Amino acid sequence: MRMLLAAACLLLSGLAWAGDTEYQRGDYKFSVGPVPAFVQRHEVPAQWDPKAAGADRPPWRFWLYERQADRRSGRDLLFTDYAYEVNSASLLGEAGRYQLDFNPGYQTLTIHDVQLRRGGQWQNRLDPEKISLARRETGFEKDMADGEVSALIVLDDVRVGDVVRIAFTVAGSNPILAHQLTDGATLSWGSPVLDSYLRVLADPGTQFATHLENGAPEGVVSNRADAAEIAFHRHGSAAIDNEDDYPVWYQPYPMALVSARRSWADVVAWALPLYPDPGALPADLESRIAEWSRLPTPRERLTAALRAVQDEVRYFGVEMGENTHKPAPPADTWRNRRGDCKDKAYLLSTILRRMDIAAVPALTSMDRGRSIGGYTPAASAFDHVIVRATLDGKPVWVDATMNQAGGAAGSTDLSRYGYALPVLAGTDALQAIAPPDPPDASGVDVSERLSPADGGKVALEVVSVYRGASANGNRDRFASARLDDISRGYADFYRKRYGQLQESAPLQVRDDRDSNTLTITEHYLLDSPFDDLDANTRALDVYADALSAPASLPKSMVRSGPLYLAVPGEYRHRIDLVVPKGWEAKFGRETEEYKAAAFDYTREVKPRADGVAIDYRMKVREYEMPAADVAAELKELRKASDNLSARLQYHVPASLDAGERDKRLQDLIRDAMNEGARK
């Protein structure tokens, strides 16, 4: 779903400066030349500061990271200077290669230095003939083509203790953004950094706006006759642990963002011309709109139009030329049956307005979610477009890129996007995206029933009910894969748990899209799921898979940042085991409960004369755990995670056990005779 609003196709000429030498590689080119005049370079010191983190020579350490941008009128330059050291032989392959990305549609690349320091002496390693250019299209598998090109630099003979330094400038920025840019830098990383810098120049008199995260230093502003300048510096940064499993809005590194001071109304004024009067629509679409308009309520009309755009217009973004931010005309998107988020949002909002439903595209960020609420206003803050419709005077948020979504329009919770900027004249602030009211009913309910079958086998019936977000994900998977392949995967899942089995009935799928409920039913015959612990003890291992995702433990249990948990909802897994007559349970009734601010968990074990029922439940109330509460929450989550599996042990009377062995032997003999007869 995610769309990167990336590039406008406008070839800029005359961006190279005096002294540059140009090198052609097929359709693409780069230059080698001196550092731009605006740059104030910082030298790499001869020795690492003994008081700074990294003095113990960890596997990686970074001597210098510097970004300097000249955004004055007539200039559009971003200079990067990067010096790193590798102190592990296993990392030499990575240390000896470097990739520089740029978009030749509107940018040029000039390489200034490729150097290596060994034994205190700098060596020039810049060999233009060995630099290759390749169009990478790393987003193509995600249905995006952005036209980016990578310059690939490979250094020979990099050794432990060498310092590699690379300096380059990318000239030009996406012209469709009309200089509504934010410059920024992450000033600390996962390895020690001796010195990191960010410096931005703008036209004289420019007032800067900044956004700082995780202890990034304040910028120092200077006003000169030729420029307004802001500069940031951080010295001796220790390695930052990436604890992973964060909510989308959070990142752990000190980061500084800076832009010219503007308002969100300025961003809306920039966006409005990108969504002009859509003009005429194709006749078949007009016919569909007329059909939808006859539905009884505005919500039903909105739902019908949303499903058509989601399901019938496939997601694909050609993020080149002015297509980076300017959507295709709705008529073209419908005729071509493809588009990215902005294309589909423009199409859907146009359809809704034709049915007298107020609707506009709304800019948002899937990459950073609610964190953009503190960003400096700029068009570059957004990477996604959704639709804000209005029903009964209230906003209804819908995402036209979500494939195979169920439920009424607006029932899907988009609150994780945090904020959106409706493209509507008069809008001057971000709008918070609230969860649906009532909240979306999400979750999973799995019921397993195991019971004796003919021939000493065990029948297994599994009924899985997915609701809300879980239903959407599984519905999309069933729509894009062969049922036979899915059925085979399901059977293999239970083979890994219970051993060899046969499918006793085809996989059944029942989809109630209006209620957004998807039900999957499976039937198997298990050959021998019980383990023989001794002559008279049988055991069966069971696991509450429906709770495995919300109860999973994070990569790092020691945390200083927030933790993403799961989609709020109810997750339940019931196991009903029926055993042969005479088997005696070696366990008793039990109930376990773990409660936390973000979730509740219970497991009940209820033995019966003919078996046992186990009921696992987990109610998730919040997407995430705040940093201040994570330690206490993780204590309870670990208990729940450890509690998902159970070993059910039964005592089997000796006479009954012998009878079972005889029956199994007879079955084996009969199967062998039947096989011989067939041959």
Side-chain angles (χ1 to χ4, degrees):
M1 294 186 331
R2 183 180 176 220
M3 192 223 23
L4 298 177
L5 301 175
C9 188
L10 175 63
L11 286 173
L12 301 183
S13 59
L15 288 174
W17 44 89
D20 285 0
T21 302
E22 194 173 86
Y23 295 87
Q24 192 79 27
R25 298 288 186 270
D27 293 333
Y28 310 114
K29 58 188 175 183
F30 68 95
S31 297
V32 171
V35 172
F38 84 94
V39 171
Q40 296 177 357
R41 296 199 77 174
H42 294 89
E43 292 307 316
V44 176
Q47 302 293 331
W48 192 276
D49 182 350
K51 297 180 181 180
D56 57 345
R57 296 172 63 91
W60 283 105
R61 63 181 182 178
F62 299 89
W63 290 72
L64 175 69
Y65 177 66
E66 183 163 15
R67 290 168 72 89
Q68 298 189 37
D70 189 349
R71 302 301 184 188
R72 289 174 290 181
S73 299
R75 303 174 181 88
D76 207 353
L77 308 173
L78 179 60
F79 168 81
T80 302
D81 199 352
Y82 188 50
Y84 58 90
E85 176 186 353
V86 62
N87 291 302
S88 171
S90 64
L91 298 172
L92 290 176
E94 186 176 349
R97 61 180 184 267
Y98 198 84
Q99 176 178 317
L100 312 178
D101 298 326
F102 68 106
N103 195 309
Y106 54 83
Q107 292 175 325
T108 63
L109 169 67
T110 301
I111 301 172
H112 311 303
D113 295 310
V114 178
Q115 297 178 309
L116 183 146
R117 186 172 73 185
R118 179 178 297 160
Q121 300 296 316
W122 286 103
Q123 306 171 13
N124 179 22
R125 293 297 188 91
L126 177 53
D127 185 350
E129 298 303 328
K130 290 185 177 180
I131 297 175
S132 60
L133 297 180
R135 183 169 172 179
R136 308 288 282 179
E137 292 299 5
T138 54
F140 199 78
E141 292 182 355
K142 298 179 181 179
D143 294 324
M144 290 183 296
D146 59 20
E148 280 207 345
V149 167
S150 297
L152 308 176
I153 299 174
V154 179
L155 289 80
D156 298 326
D157 185 32
V158 178
R159 303 177 188 177
V160 169
D162 288 346
V163 177
V164 176
R165 185 178 189 180
I166 296 174
F168 60 95
T169 294
V170 174
S173 63
N174 193 334
I176 201 168
L177 287 172
H179 294 283
Q180 286 222 8
L181 297 172
T182 298
D183 285 299
T186 300
L187 301 173
S188 297
W189 304 332
S191 295
V193 184
L194 187 58
D195 285 289
S196 54
Y197 299 88
L198 171 64
R199 175 173 174 258
V200 179
L201 300 183
D203 288 323
T206 298
Q207 290 186 317
F208 293 108
T210 61
H211 172 74
L212 306 177
E213 293 185 7
N214 302 314
E218 294 285 344
V220 177
V221 176
S222 303
N223 289 295
R224 308 195 307 265
D226 64 334
E229 174 185 318
I230 187 168
F232 305 79
H233 174 221
R234 188 178 176 97
H235 175 72
S237 298
I240 305 295
D241 291 332
N242 186 343
E243 299 162 357
D244 221 338
D245 302 298
Y246 297 117
V248 67
W249 57 267
Y250 183 81
Q251 62 85 31
Y253 306 109
M255 183 181 75
L257 301 178
V258 59
S259 69
R261 188 175 298 279
R262 63 176 68 86
S263 68
W264 291 115
D266 295 329
V267 181
V268 172
W270 162 83
L272 280 169
L274 303 178
Y275 297 85
D277 186 297
L281 298 178
D284 65 323
L285 179 55
E286 292 284 12
S287 176
R288 297 282 293 278
I289 292 173
E291 175 186 338
W292 298 327
S293 297
R294 290 191 288 271
L295 292 171
T297 68
R299 181 81 64 170
E300 289 175 277
R301 295 169 213 150
L302 171 55
T303 301
L306 175 63
R307 287 187 185 175
V309 176
Q310 287 177 334
D311 298 354
E312 299 177 39
V313 180
R314 69 183 178 91
Y315 182 90
F316 188 84
V318 181
E319 310 302 329
M320 292 179 284
E322 58 181 15
N323 290 337
T324 56
H325 291 75
K326 184 177 182 179
D332 292 350
T333 301
W334 181 259
R335 273 192 293 263
N336 296 330
R337 291 299 199 277
R338 68 166 174 81
D340 59 20
C341 64
K342 62 185 181 300
D343 301 324
K344 297 182 75 168
Y346 190 19
L347 171 62
L348 178 60
S349 58
T350 297
I351 293 171
L352 296 178
R353 288 195 297 270
R354 295 290 176 94
M355 295 190 294
D356 296 324
I357 297 174
V360 292
L363 311 179
T364 189
S365 174
M366 293 183 67
D367 187 49
R368 291 303 313 277
R370 74 174 193 234
S371 67
I372 66 168
Y375 273 26
T376 62
S380 60
F382 304 104
D383 62 20
H384 193 51
V385 186
I386 58 177
V387 170
R388 188 197 71 181
T390 302
L391 298 180
D392 297 325
K394 297 180 180 179
V396 176
W397 303 97
V398 293
D399 189 337
T401 67
M402 297 181 68
N403 294 330
Q404 301 295 319
S411 64
T412 298
D413 186 0
L414 302 185
S415 63
R416 280 182 293 171
Y417 294 173
Y419 294 93
L421 185 67
V423 182
L424 179 66
T427 301
D428 59 3
L430 295 173
Q431 185 172 355
I433 301 175
D437 185 19
D440 187 21
S442 292
V444 182
D445 190 331
V446 174
S447 176
E448 292 184 33
R449 178 177 172 81
L450 299 99
S451 57
D454 293 342
K457 299 187 182 230
V458 174
L460 170 63
E461 180 188 66
V462 185
V463 180
S464 303
V465 181
Y466 299 94
R467 299 180 303 276
S470 298
N472 290 340
N474 279 279
R475 184 182 296 109
D476 188 34
R477 186 161 62 95
F478 273 85
S480 58
R482 296 175 60 247
L483 186 60
D484 286 350
D485 292 337
I486 294 175
S487 178
R488 189 180 306 111
Y490 276 41
D492 282 340
F493 174 85
Y494 284 105
R495 286 189 182 98
K496 293 172 184 176
R497 178 159 299 165
Y498 295 126
Q500 289 304 309
L501 57 80
Q502 300 81 43
E503 295 179 66
S504 56
L507 186 74
Q508 300 173 12
V509 180
R510 187 171 71 254
D511 186 7
D512 185 345
R513 196 166 178 184
D514 289 338
S515 67
N516 205 10
T517 303
L518 186 72
T519 304
I520 300 170
T521 304
E522 308 161 71
H523 292 92
Y524 305 104
L525 280 177
L526 313 181
D527 287 359
S528 183
F530 290 92
D531 292 329
D532 297 337
L533 301 186
D534 57 41
N536 298 106
T537 306
R538 303 289 178 269
L540 180 71
D541 292 320
V542 297
Y543 184 75
D545 186 66
L547 281 66
S548 61
S552 64
L553 296 176
K555 175 182 175 182
S556 174
M557 293 289 287
V558 179
R559 306 185 66 85
S560 58
L563 173 68
Y564 174 78
L565 180 58
V567 174
E570 299 203 12
Y571 300 81
R572 187 177 185 185
H573 196 123
R574 289 168 289 183
I575 298 169
D576 187 9
L577 173 64
V578 179
V579 297
K581 186 176 181 180
W583 285 31
E584 296 180 4
K586 299 179 73 173
F587 54 88
R589 185 185 182 95
E590 63 181 66
T591 299
E592 295 179 79
E593 295 184 352
Y594 307 116
K595 293 183 178 294
F599 70 90
D600 292 337
Y601 169 90
T602 61
R603 183 181 81 169
E604 293 184 280
V605 180
K606 299 177 182 178
R608 305 186 308 261
D610 66 340
V612 64
I614 309 178
D615 193 354
Y616 296 85
R617 293 173 182 259
M618 186 169 181
K619 183 175 182 178
V620 177
R621 287 185 288 273
E622 304 289 343
Y623 281 107
E624 62 195 59
M625 302 175 183
D629 301 337
V630 164
E633 299 272 318
L634 278 180
K635 180 180 179 181
E636 300 305 306
L637 187 65
R638 181 180 58 78
K639 294 177 185 177
S641 180
D642 291 344
N643 199 243
L644 296 185
S645 59
R647 167 159 279 199
L648 306 175
Q649 295 187 25
Y650 281 87
H651 175 76
V652 179
S655 58
L656 180 60
D657 187 43
E660 285 187 352
R661 288 199 299 271
D662 290 344
K663 190 173 189 313
R664 289 189 181 185
L665 180 60
Q666 292 172 7
D667 290 339
L668 288 172
I669 294 172
R670 183 176 65 253
D671 290 345
M673 293 177 62
N674 291 338
E675 182 66 23
R678 284 194 293 270
K679 292 181 178 179

